[in-house]
Amino acid sequence: MRIDIITIFPGLFGPYINESIIKRAQQKKKVVIKVHDLRDFTEDKHKKVDDRPFGGGPGMVMSAQPIFDAVKKIKGKRAVRVIVTCPSGNVLNQKIAKNLAKCKNIIIICGHYEGIDERVRDKVAQEAISIGDYVLTGGELAALVLVDSVTRLLPGVLGKAESLKDESFEQNLLEYPQYTRPANFRGIKVPNVLLSGNHSLIEKWRKEQAVIRTKKYRPDLLLKKTNQCC
Ligand code: SAM
């Protein structure tokens, strides 16, 4: 997969994408991530990429021209899924991440200020994605969340130790609780079954716990699960 990110703050990405699993995914050539400075595409001689909103109001709006031209140039002749980050987009979840993980090429556009000229969403992007019902200063964090959630789903990115099989949101359940040594930490003991060495009992316990935790913390997911079965 190739992911291109268009931003006015390219320096925000390196520290995250050059560590941990995303770094390994790039080294293993499972993903290529390119970060582009939007200012390189503006026709404005002062490198401006924003302007005042039509109709008045506070703040500035990111102009259509640099984004249209950046996407055209970066895309070339490739088939690319263009995503604009926006609080009014579809709220990201594991299903959306899984669908995006099937794409070969993605471009993510990061907004700033009061947002992006709507013509970008209408004419350039296939999709708008929000990472939750709150307002961020810019789309960079949203882009990183997208890159992370999608990259870890690419075949061969996660090792056995980080397997996806029982992760939260697989089958609309949260993952079972996890414990590590010591078995008795200041009088707080881990459940006996985990020390039993009986793998089928452990698996049964984990399945039950996944349902119990989901009921307790995210009952809405169980509702989805029931609806899916019907
Ligand atoms: N005025 C806009 C509104 O009320 O909807 C908010 C603009 S926000 C300050 C600037 C940029 O941050 C947005 O264009 C978008 O790219 C990004 N952004 C903010 N919140 C986001 C969210 N929840 N999910 C994804 N991107 C977000």
Side-chain angles (χ1 to χ4, degrees):
M1 171 181 273
R2 173 171 158 177
I3 305 176
D4 290 273
I5 300 165
I6 302 173
T7 170
I8 54 170
F9 292 111
L12 289 176
F13 289 87
Y16 194 83
I17 64 173
N18 294 324
E19 295 288 345
S20 184
I21 284 172
I22 314 281
K23 175 184 174 182
R24 266 176 20 218
Q26 291 178 93
Q27 285 170 340
K28 287 200 251 171
K29 306 223 180 317
K30 303 289 178 194
V31 68
V32 174
I33 303 171
K34 294 189 186 286
V35 182
H36 307 268
D37 189 340
L38 181 63
R39 293 186 198 282
D40 293 342
F41 299 90
T42 179
E43 286 171 352
D44 184 88
K45 60 175 189 259
H46 303 295
K47 296 273 174 199
K48 236 170 80 110
V49 290
D50 59 340
D51 215 326
R52 282 167 297 158
F54 277 125
M60 301 295 271
V61 175
M62 293 183 72
S63 313
Q65 177 274 313
I67 303 178
F68 267 64
D69 290 352
V71 170
K72 191 172 175 207
K73 178 94 190 283
I74 293 164
K75 201 172 168 181
K77 289 193 168 31
R78 296 176 302 140
V80 179
R81 186 139 197 91
V82 182
I83 298 166
V84 69
T85 54
C86 183
S88 64
N90 296 321
V91 180
L92 181 63
N93 58 27
Q94 195 68 2
K95 194 173 164 201
I96 294 178
K98 276 186 176 173
N99 276 332
L100 291 175
K102 291 179 197 149
C103 299
K104 279 194 98 165
N105 301 292
I106 293 178
I107 294 178
I108 306 172
I109 303 166
C110 304
H112 243 272
Y113 316 119
E114 282 307 312
I116 304 171
D117 187 307
E118 192 69 8
R119 286 167 288 192
V120 169
R121 184 172 181 170
D122 291 345
K123 302 288 179 197
V124 175
Q126 276 93 51
E127 193 164 353
I129 289 189
S130 160
I131 59 162
D133 291 346
Y134 41 80
V135 178
L136 299 163
T137 308
E140 287 73 17
L141 280 174
L144 281 172
V145 169
L146 265 171
V147 167
D148 189 306
S149 59
V150 169
T151 300
R152 66 198 305 285
L153 294 173
L154 299 176
V157 167
L158 294 188
K160 210 174 162 201
E162 304 127 344
S163 149
L164 294 167
K165 188 171 102 10
D166 293 323
E167 268 197 333
S168 293
F169 310 115
E170 291 297 316
Q171 299 154 38
N172 289 324
L173 286 173
L174 298 177
E175 196 183 55
Y176 47 79
Q178 301 269 18
Y179 299 87
T180 186
R181 289 192 293 178
N184 183 342
F185 172 67
R186 298 179 186 169
I188 316 164
K189 294 179 183 160
V190 309
N192 272 335
V193 63
L194 297 178
L195 311 175
S196 68
N198 184 328
H199 293 293
S200 62
L201 267 186
I202 292 172
E203 202 176 324
K204 184 168 170 276
W205 179 86
R206 285 179 165 165
K207 276 188 182 145
E208 286 164 3
Q209 289 298 314
V211 176
I212 291 169
R213 284 186 105 204
T214 312
K215 260 188 197 155
K216 187 170 173 189
Y217 300 122
R218 290 292 306 274
D220 57 302
L221 292 178
L222 282 173
L223 211 62
K224 277 190 206 162
K225 195 174 165 68
T226 320
N227 289 344
Q228 257 181 11
C229 296
C230 295

